[in-house]
């Protein structure tokens, strides 16, 4: 590659033109262990890589000579208008990337006119986010062994005005993120190499680590035993909370307890998506947890067509994992998604520049969505047609195989 065509590698996030350039800026701004936590995947990271390579298997078939001068990328999610088909995904330990990271993301989402999803293992209390951020707030839920914790979180989220509950079901057995583990001598204690690397990031140290040290799991702090209410103790103890006996009976009581929209995140099998619909859920999120759980797993993008065909046109489907371009988002919409959850793409912006960096990431993606929409020959997202996409490995396009009765 010519020197003049190399991507931007500096520290000023405002000069980044793509999510990849934001990623490079974020890599310079935070220590190795924090970036590895953001980026890492399970085991050999085959799933992590697949989440990106799968986009290259699909090609656009644009329409020509269409007036696209008045384009709009507005969407409709659960009967409410959204400025674009993006939803910020739930992610944990965002305070490790930037101080008050969860609040920064929520504010960026509110200003962009899209929903933000707060993680159960966030570094911000759900009540504080509701009071200080505004906008459309969704609450992600992990179900713990003590079901009373989930009941309390659900009750608090409803009282705080969260509009949707996102039940994550693919992390009850923790994935092995080995590269991340090697950065620590034991939970919460960095090894020497990573402590020295952190010293090379004085701005990050001052902002994030001073004066309170590692960010805490503020949202669940009250539920930890007193002896584990330290940073190291919380990191060590939290994995023990997760209920490995989670099943469809939990979905039933959540449906009865939660008054708003209920989504299940972490489904990939179309039969499970149909079962979620039949259990009274309002939507499903096809996800492999960003490649952080099961290695050698299918990518959500390659299951979208089958899931849409199975549940028909009216059930809400979202997808996540691997989205880095506006064109990626439109491929998901063409394959049957109603919206896309983004995680790492906006976290690169957060790590690079806080709320303003997250807003810049959203601006990059929305700009690309708008441009590619016009290049496809569409005025609005409703104009997208399944005939505008082909899979290059010779599979039957989903719209030819679909049977909506």
């Amino acid at each position: 590659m010519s020197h003049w065509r190399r991507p931007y590698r500096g520290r000023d996030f405002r000069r980044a033109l793509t999510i990849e350039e934001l990623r490079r800026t974020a890599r310079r701004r935070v220590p190795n262990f924090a970036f590895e936590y953001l980026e890492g995947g399970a085991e050999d990271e085959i799933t992590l890589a697949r989440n990106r390579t799968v986009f290259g298997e699909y090609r656009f078939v644009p329409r020509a000579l269409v007036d696209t001068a008045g384009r709009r990328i507005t969407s409709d999610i659960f009967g409410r208008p959204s400025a674009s088909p993006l939803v910020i995904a739930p992610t944990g330990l965002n305070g490790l990337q930037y101080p008050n990271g969860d609040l920064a993301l929520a504010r960026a989402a509110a200003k962009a006119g899209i929903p933000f999803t707060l993680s159960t293992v966030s570094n911000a209390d759900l009540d504080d986010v509701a009071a200080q951020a505004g906008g459309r707030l969704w609450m992600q839920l992990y179900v713990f062994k003590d079901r009373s914790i989930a009941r309390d979180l659900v009750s608090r989220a409803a009282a705080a005005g969260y509009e949707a509950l996102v039940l994550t079901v693919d992390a009850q057995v923790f994935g092995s993120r080995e590269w991340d583990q090697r950065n620590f001598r034991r939970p919460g204690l960095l090894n020497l190499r990573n402590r020295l690397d952190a010293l090379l990031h004085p701005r990050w140290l001052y902002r994030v680590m001073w004066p309170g040290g590692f960010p805490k799991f503020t949202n669940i702090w009250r539920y930890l035993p007193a002896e584990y209410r330290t940073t190291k103790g919380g990191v060590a103890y939290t994995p023990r909370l997760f209920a490995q006996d989670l099943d469809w009976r939990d979905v039933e009581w959540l449906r009865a307890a939660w008054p708003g929209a209920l989504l299940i995140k972490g489904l990939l099998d179309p039969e499970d998506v149909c079962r979620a619909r039949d259990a009274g859920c309002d939507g499903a999120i096809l996800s492999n947890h960003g490649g952080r759980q099961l290695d050698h797993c299918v990518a959500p993008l390659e299951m979208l067509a089958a899931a849409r065909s199975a549940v028909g046109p009216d059930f809400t489907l979202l997808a996540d994992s691997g989205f880095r371009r506006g064109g990626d988002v439109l491929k998901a919409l063409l394959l049957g998604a109603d919206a896309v959850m983004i995680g790492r793409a906006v976290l690169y912006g957060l790590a690079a520049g806080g709320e303003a960096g997250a807003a810049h990431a959203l601006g990059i993606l929305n700009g690309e969505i708008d441009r590619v929409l016009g290049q496809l020959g569409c005025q609005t997202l409703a104009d997208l047609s399944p005939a505008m996409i082909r899979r290059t490995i010779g599979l039957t396009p989903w719209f030819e195989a679909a049977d909506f009765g």
Side-chain angles (χ1 to χ4, degrees):
M1 180 183 293
S2 165
H3 170 76
W4 299 106
R5 297 182 63 193
R6 290 176 185 169
Y8 177 67
R9 300 171 182 268
R11 291 179 175 269
D12 186 353
F13 70 86
R14 294 168 297 184
R15 296 185 60 188
L17 299 178
T18 66
I19 296 300
E20 173 58 26
E21 290 185 351
L22 263 184
R23 174 187 173 274
R24 293 170 183 268
T25 299
R27 183 70 187 88
R28 296 179 61 128
R29 296 292 291 269
V30 300
N32 171 72
F33 82 94
F35 192 75
E36 182 60 48
Y37 177 79
L38 190 166
E39 279 236 309
E43 298 180 6
D44 297 318
E45 300 187 333
I46 303 299
T47 302
L48 184 70
R50 177 62 179 166
N51 286 344
R52 285 299 303 144
T53 59
V54 69
F55 287 101
E57 296 179 4
Y58 293 85
R59 296 289 188 270
F60 294 120
V61 184
R63 299 298 300 273
L65 295 173
V66 179
D67 178 3
T68 61
R71 292 190 308 280
R72 301 186 308 278
I73 64 168
T74 53
S75 182
D76 184 278
I77 304 175
F78 295 125
R80 294 181 59 183
S82 186
S84 79
L86 301 178
V87 177
I88 293 186
T91 49
L93 273 179
N94 293 328
L96 196 62
Q97 308 300 331
Y98 200 88
N100 298 313
D102 299 293
L103 187 57
L105 289 173
R107 286 173 169 164
K111 291 177 181 177
I114 64 172
F116 164 77
T117 316
L118 183 71
S119 172
T120 294
V121 291
S122 65
N123 301 129
D125 184 271
L126 67 90
D127 297 298
D128 293 339
V129 173
Q132 299 177 41
R136 299 182 65 178
L137 297 176
W138 296 7
M139 181 69 205
Q140 180 269 339
L141 180 70
Y142 286 123
V143 174
F144 297 145
K145 295 174 184 176
D146 181 353
R147 297 306 201 267
S148 67
I149 297 176
R151 294 188 184 96
D152 189 47
L153 286 168
V154 168
S155 177
R156 288 170 55 200
Y162 285 71
E163 70 168 80
L165 186 70
V166 178
L167 172 64
T168 298
V169 298
D170 61 354
Q172 301 310 114
V173 178
F174 271 29
S176 179
R177 298 186 284 274
E178 294 151 4
W179 290 104
D180 183 38
Q181 294 173 35
R182 291 193 183 99
N183 292 326
F184 295 84
R185 291 179 57 189
R186 57 178 180 271
L189 182 63
L190 290 170
N191 61 26
L192 178 59
R193 182 176 180 179
N194 278 279
R195 278 184 282 175
L196 292 174
D197 177 70
L199 292 175
L200 298 177
H201 297 79
R203 180 178 296 182
W204 177 89
L205 280 171
Y206 178 76
R207 286 178 172 174
V208 174
M209 299 298 288
W210 185 88
F214 271 70
K216 300 178 177 61
F217 295 123
T218 307
N219 219 26
I220 61 170
W221 207 244
R222 69 185 70 183
Y223 308 118
L224 300 179
E227 63 271 25
Y228 287 101
R229 290 178 184 171
T230 64
T231 299
K232 295 177 183 177
V235 170
Y237 186 80
T238 298
R240 306 182 197 175
L241 294 172
F242 284 68
Q244 296 188 12
D245 61 347
L246 182 73
D247 61 25
W248 289 100
R249 291 171 296 180
D250 292 288
V251 176
E252 293 174 3
W253 70 256
L254 278 175
R255 179 65 285 175
W258 178 252
L262 176 64
L263 301 94
I264 299 184
K265 180 177 181 290
L267 303 182
L268 289 167
D269 190 319
E271 290 187 12
D272 284 338
V273 177
C274 290
R275 190 163 184 181
R277 176 201 59 191
D278 297 341
C281 294
D282 300 283
I285 303 164
L286 301 191
S287 173
N288 58 31
H289 218 96
R292 295 167 69 83
Q293 287 296 104
L294 175 65
D295 207 9
H296 295 268
C297 185
V298 294
L301 192 78
E302 57 192 326
M303 300 306 297
L304 260 172
R308 175 55 73 198
S309 179
V311 297
D314 298 326
F315 188 68
T316 298
L317 282 181
L318 283 76
D320 71 6
S321 302
F323 290 85
R324 299 291 184 273
R325 287 280 191 177
D328 298 341
V329 175
L330 288 175
K331 287 179 180 180
L333 300 187
L334 287 166
L335 290 168
D338 295 293
V340 165
M341 273 192 164
I342 53 170
R344 289 184 179 95
V346 74
L347 289 180
Y348 294 141
L350 177 71
E355 180 183 335
H360 189 61
L362 294 174
I364 289 172
L365 289 171
N366 284 332
E368 292 176 345
I369 292 171
D370 176 74
R371 182 178 67 251
V372 177
L373 185 70
Q375 291 170 335
L376 286 172
C378 298
Q379 285 267 16
T380 70
L381 299 180
D383 296 331
L384 292 170
S385 165
M388 293 177 175
I389 194 168
R390 292 287 190 275
R391 196 170 188 179
T392 57
I393 61 174
L395 297 183
T396 302
W398 76 271
F399 59 91
E400 294 181 8
D403 180 7
F404 296 133

Coordinates of all heavy atoms in Angstrom, one line a residue, residues 55 85-87 89 263 265 267-268 284-288 299-304 316-323 328-329 332-333 335-343:
F55 N -19.4 -11.2 5.9 CA -19.9 -10.1 5.2 C -19.4 -10.1 3.7 O -20.1 -9.7 2.8 CB -19.6 -8.8 5.9 CG -20.3 -8.5 7.1 CD1 -19.8 -8.8 8.4 CD2 -21.7 -8.1 7.1 CE1 -20.5 -8.5 9.5 CE2 -22.4 -7.9 8.2 CZ -21.8 -8.1 9.5
P85 N -31.3 2.6 11.8 CA -31.6 1.2 12.2 C -30.5 0.6 13.2 O -30.2 -0.6 13.2 CB -31.6 0.4 10.9 CG -30.6 1.2 10.1 CD -30.7 2.6 10.5
L86 N -29.9 1.5 14.0 CA -28.9 1.1 15.0 C -29.4 1.1 16.4 O -30.2 1.9 16.8 CB -27.7 2.0 14.9 CG -27.0 2.1 13.5 CD1 -25.8 3.1 13.6 CD2 -26.5 0.7 13.0
V87 N -28.9 0.1 17.2 CA -29.1 0.1 18.6 C -27.8 -0.2 19.3 O -27.0 -1.1 18.8 CB -30.1 -1.1 19.0 CG1 -30.3 -1.1 20.5 CG2 -31.5 -0.9 18.3
A89 N -25.5 -1.9 21.6 CA -25.5 -3.2 22.3 C -25.1 -3.1 23.8 O -24.3 -2.2 24.1 CB -24.7 -4.3 21.6
L263 N -37.1 -9.0 24.6 CA -36.3 -9.7 23.6 C -35.3 -10.7 24.2 O -34.9 -10.5 25.3 CB -35.4 -8.6 22.8 CG -36.1 -7.5 22.1 CD1 -36.1 -6.3 23.1 CD2 -35.4 -7.1 20.8
K265 N -31.7 -12.4 23.5 CA -30.4 -12.2 22.8 C -29.5 -13.4 23.0 O -29.3 -13.9 24.1 CB -29.7 -10.9 23.4 CG -28.4 -10.6 22.7 CD -27.8 -9.3 23.3 CE -26.5 -8.9 22.7 NZ -25.4 -9.9 23.0
L267 N -29.8 -16.0 20.4 CA -30.3 -17.1 19.7 C -29.7 -17.2 18.3 O -29.4 -16.2 17.7 CB -31.9 -16.9 19.5 CG -32.7 -16.8 20.8 CD1 -34.2 -16.7 20.5 CD2 -32.4 -18.0 21.7
L268 N -29.6 -18.4 17.7 CA -29.1 -18.6 16.4 C -29.9 -19.6 15.6 O -30.1 -19.5 14.4 CB -27.6 -19.0 16.4 CG -26.6 -17.9 16.8 CD1 -25.3 -18.5 17.1 CD2 -26.5 -16.8 15.7
A284 N -36.2 -11.0 18.9 CA -35.0 -11.8 19.2 C -33.8 -11.2 18.5 O -33.9 -10.5 17.5 CB -35.2 -13.3 18.6
I285 N -32.7 -11.4 19.2 CA -31.4 -10.8 18.7 C -30.5 -12.0 18.3 O -30.1 -12.7 19.2 CB -30.8 -9.9 19.7 CG1 -31.7 -8.8 20.1 CG2 -29.5 -9.3 19.2 CD1 -31.4 -8.1 21.4
L286 N -30.3 -12.2 17.0 CA -29.3 -13.2 16.6 C -27.9 -12.8 17.0 O -27.5 -11.7 16.5 CB -29.4 -13.5 15.1 CG -30.8 -13.9 14.6 CD1 -30.7 -14.3 13.1 CD2 -31.5 -14.9 15.4
S287 N -27.2 -13.6 17.8 CA -25.9 -13.1 18.3 C -25.1 -14.3 18.7 O -25.7 -15.3 19.2 CB -26.2 -12.2 19.5 OG -25.0 -11.9 20.2
N288 N -23.8 -14.3 18.5 CA -22.9 -15.3 19.1 C -22.0 -14.6 20.1 O -20.9 -15.0 20.4 CB -22.1 -16.0 18.0 CG -21.3 -15.1 17.2 OD1 -20.8 -14.0 17.6 ND2 -21.0 -15.5 15.9
A299 N -22.0 -17.4 12.3 CA -22.2 -16.0 12.4 C -23.7 -15.6 12.3 O -24.4 -16.3 11.6 CB -21.4 -15.2 11.4
P300 N -24.2 -14.7 13.1 CA -25.6 -14.3 13.0 C -26.0 -13.9 11.6 O -27.2 -14.3 11.2 CB -25.7 -13.1 14.0 CG -24.6 -13.3 15.0 CD -23.5 -13.9 14.2
L301 N -25.2 -13.3 10.8 CA -25.6 -12.9 9.5 C -26.0 -14.0 8.6 O -27.0 -13.9 7.9 CB -24.4 -12.1 8.8 CG -24.8 -11.4 7.5 CD1 -25.6 -10.1 7.8 CD2 -23.6 -11.1 6.6
E302 N -25.3 -15.2 8.8 CA -25.7 -16.3 7.9 C -26.9 -17.1 8.4 O -27.4 -18.0 7.7 CB -24.5 -17.2 7.7 CG -23.9 -17.8 9.0 CD -22.5 -18.5 8.8 OE1 -22.3 -19.1 7.7 OE2 -21.7 -18.4 9.7
M303 N -27.4 -16.7 9.6 CA -28.7 -17.4 10.0 C -29.9 -16.5 9.9 O -31.0 -16.9 10.2 CB -28.5 -17.8 11.5 CG -27.4 -18.7 11.8 SD -27.5 -20.2 10.8 CE -29.0 -20.9 11.3
L304 N -29.7 -15.2 9.5 CA -30.8 -14.3 9.4 C -31.9 -14.7 8.5 O -33.1 -14.6 8.8 CB -30.3 -12.9 9.0 CG -30.0 -11.9 10.1 CD1 -29.3 -10.6 9.6 CD2 -31.4 -11.5 10.8
T316 N -40.1 -9.1 15.3 CA -38.9 -8.2 15.3 C -37.6 -9.0 15.4 O -37.4 -9.8 16.4 CB -39.0 -7.2 16.4 OG1 -40.1 -6.4 16.2 CG2 -37.7 -6.3 16.4
L317 N -36.7 -8.9 14.4 CA -35.4 -9.5 14.5 C -34.3 -8.5 14.4 O -34.3 -7.6 13.6 CB -35.2 -10.5 13.3 CG -35.9 -11.8 13.3 CD1 -35.6 -12.6 12.0 CD2 -35.5 -12.6 14.5
L318 N -33.3 -8.6 15.3 CA -32.1 -7.8 15.3 C -30.9 -8.8 15.2 O -31.1 -10.0 15.4 CB -31.9 -7.0 16.6 CG -32.8 -5.7 16.7 CD1 -34.2 -6.1 17.0 CD2 -32.2 -4.8 17.8
A319 N -29.8 -8.2 14.8 CA -28.5 -9.0 14.8 C -27.4 -8.2 15.3 O -27.4 -7.0 15.2 CB -28.3 -9.5 13.3
D320 N -26.4 -8.9 15.8 CA -25.1 -8.2 16.1 C -23.9 -9.0 15.7 O -24.1 -10.0 15.0 CB -25.1 -7.8 17.6 CG -24.9 -9.1 18.6 OD1 -24.7 -10.2 18.0 OD2 -25.0 -8.9 19.8
S321 N -22.8 -8.6 16.1 CA -21.5 -9.3 15.9 C -20.9 -9.0 14.6 O -21.3 -9.5 13.5 CB -21.7 -10.9 16.1 OG -22.3 -11.2 17.3
G322 N -19.8 -8.2 14.7 CA -18.9 -8.0 13.5 C -19.2 -6.8 12.6 O -18.5 -6.6 11.6
F323 N -20.2 -6.0 13.0 CA -20.6 -4.9 12.1 C -19.6 -3.8 12.2 O -19.4 -3.3 13.3 CB -22.0 -4.4 12.5 CG -23.1 -5.4 12.1 CD1 -23.4 -6.4 12.9 CD2 -23.7 -5.3 10.9 CE1 -24.4 -7.4 12.6 CE2 -24.7 -6.2 10.5 CZ -25.1 -7.2 11.4
D328 N -22.5 -3.2 5.9 CA -22.7 -4.4 6.7 C -24.1 -4.3 7.3 O -24.9 -5.3 7.3 CB -21.7 -4.5 7.9 CG -20.3 -4.7 7.5 OD1 -20.1 -5.0 6.3 OD2 -19.4 -4.4 8.3
V329 N -24.5 -3.2 7.8 CA -25.9 -3.0 8.4 C -26.9 -3.2 7.3 O -27.9 -4.0 7.6 CB -26.0 -1.6 9.0 CG1 -27.4 -1.3 9.5 CG2 -25.0 -1.4 10.1
A332 N -27.5 -6.9 6.6 CA -28.4 -7.5 7.6 C -29.9 -7.2 7.3 O -30.7 -8.1 7.4 CB -28.0 -7.1 9.0
L333 N -30.2 -5.9 7.0 CA -31.5 -5.5 6.7 C -32.1 -6.3 5.5 O -33.2 -6.7 5.5 CB -31.6 -4.0 6.5 CG -31.2 -3.1 7.7 CD1 -31.5 -1.7 7.4 CD2 -31.8 -3.6 9.0
L335 N -31.3 -9.1 4.5 CA -31.4 -10.6 4.8 C -32.5 -10.8 5.8 O -32.8 -12.0 6.2 CB -30.1 -11.1 5.4 CG -29.0 -11.3 4.3 CD1 -27.7 -11.6 5.0 CD2 -29.4 -12.4 3.3
G336 N -33.2 -9.7 6.3 CA -34.3 -9.9 7.2 C -34.3 -9.3 8.5 O -35.3 -9.4 9.3
A337 N -33.2 -8.6 8.9 CA -33.2 -7.9 10.2 C -34.0 -6.6 10.1 O -34.1 -5.9 9.1 CB -31.7 -7.6 10.6
D338 N -34.6 -6.2 11.3 CA -35.3 -5.0 11.4 C -34.3 -3.9 11.9 O -34.5 -2.7 11.6 CB -36.4 -5.1 12.4 CG -37.5 -6.0 11.9 OD1 -38.2 -5.7 10.9 OD2 -37.7 -7.1 12.5
A339 N -33.3 -4.2 12.6 CA -32.3 -3.3 13.1 C -31.0 -4.1 13.5 O -31.0 -5.3 13.5 CB -32.8 -2.5 14.3
V340 N -30.0 -3.4 13.8 CA -28.7 -4.0 14.1 C -28.1 -3.4 15.4 O -28.2 -2.2 15.6 CB -27.7 -3.7 12.9 CG1 -26.2 -4.0 13.4 CG2 -28.0 -4.5 11.7
M341 N -27.7 -4.3 16.3 CA -27.0 -3.9 17.5 C -25.5 -3.8 17.2 O -24.9 -4.7 16.6 CB -27.2 -4.9 18.6 CG -28.5 -4.7 19.4 SD -28.5 -5.7 20.9 CE -29.8 -4.8 21.8
I342 N -24.9 -2.7 17.7 CA -23.5 -2.5 17.5 C -22.8 -2.4 18.8 O -23.2 -1.7 19.8 CB -23.1 -1.2 16.6 CG1 -23.8 0.0 17.2 CG2 -23.6 -1.4 15.2 CD1 -23.4 1.3 16.6
G343 N -21.7 -3.1 19.0 CA -20.9 -3.2 20.2 C -19.5 -2.6 20.0 O -19.3 -1.4 20.3

